[in-house]
Amino acid sequence: MRIGEAAGAAGLEASAIRFYEKQGVLPGPERTESGYRDYSDQDVELLRFVRRARRLEIPLDDIREIVELRHAGQAPCEVVWAAMAREASLIGERIRELQALQRELKRLLKLADEAADNRPRGDYVCHIVEAGNLPAQLGAASRGSPRGDRRS
């Protein structure tokens, strides 16, 4: 089947399949005589696995290793387990960071509500933000993107 059919069967976009192939997560499929990608049912099942693994936040490097192990005839479940355990731990850390951020935002909102004068002060862009006292772990976790996302 062609890439559009494989994408539909796997619940992915064709561009995602091309991306995963380019990243080495998926081996390139067979090609027809005219050069079109030709996906098998086995390829579609692998694409479904990759989609599910990404939804679980398993990093591409881990997925690449898992796929390589499977193609070598080995059971990759130990690597899958380790990746899921690591992601669960990272999510726990992120939840704690977000809770700390939520407490700080609520504190700042309360300060802003209580302030009688919200006009600009001094050289600050906004004194409400300047009154913030972010915990150190929040500053470290939010590096990398404006929203604090640590992976793409």
Side-chain angles (χ1 to χ4, degrees), residues 26 34 45 64 72 132 146:
L26 301 172
S34 56
E45 188 53 41
R64 185 180 304 112

Side-chain angles (χ1 to χ4, degrees), residues 72-85:
Q74 299 176 25
C77 292
E78 196 172 301
V79 176
V80 172
W81 186 92
M84 288 174 24

Side-chain angles (χ1 to χ4, degrees), residues 117-150:
D117 180 10
N118 278 321
R119 289 180 292 165
R121 298 181 192 159
D123 293 333
Y124 298 136
V125 173
C126 177
H127 67 282
I128 298 169
V129 172
E130 297 299 329
N133 185 20
L134 287 176
Q137 70 269 22
L138 285 177
S142 63
R143 289 183 209 134
S145 82
R147 294 193 49 164
D149 300 330
R150 294 190 291 186

Side-chain angles (χ1 to χ4, degrees), residues 6 9-10 40-52:
S40 67
D41 291 338
Q42 190 176 22
D43 291 329
V44 171
E45 188 53 41
L46 181 58
L47 291 168
R48 287 181 183 135
F49 168 79
V50 171
R51 184 196 63 192
R52 289 188 300 261

Side-chain angles (χ1 to χ4, degrees), residues 15-69:
S15 59
I17 295 173
R18 288 187 200 97
F19 172 78
Y20 292 140
E21 289 172 2
K22 187 176 180 181
Q23 295 300 311
V25 173
L26 301 172
E30 298 292 322
R31 297 273 182 165
T32 64
E33 286 183 23
S34 56
Y36 289 105
R37 291 173 169 90
D38 189 23
Y39 295 89
S40 67
D41 291 338
Q42 190 176 22
D43 291 329
V44 171
E45 188 53 41
L46 181 58
L47 291 168
R48 287 181 183 135
F49 168 79
V50 171
R51 184 196 63 192
R52 289 188 300 261
R54 288 302 297 142
R55 284 188 176 165
L56 293 171
E57 297 289 326
I58 296 175
L60 289 179
D61 288 341
D62 289 332
I63 296 172
R64 185 180 304 112
E65 180 182 359
I66 292 162
V67 169
E68 288 171 359
L69 287 170

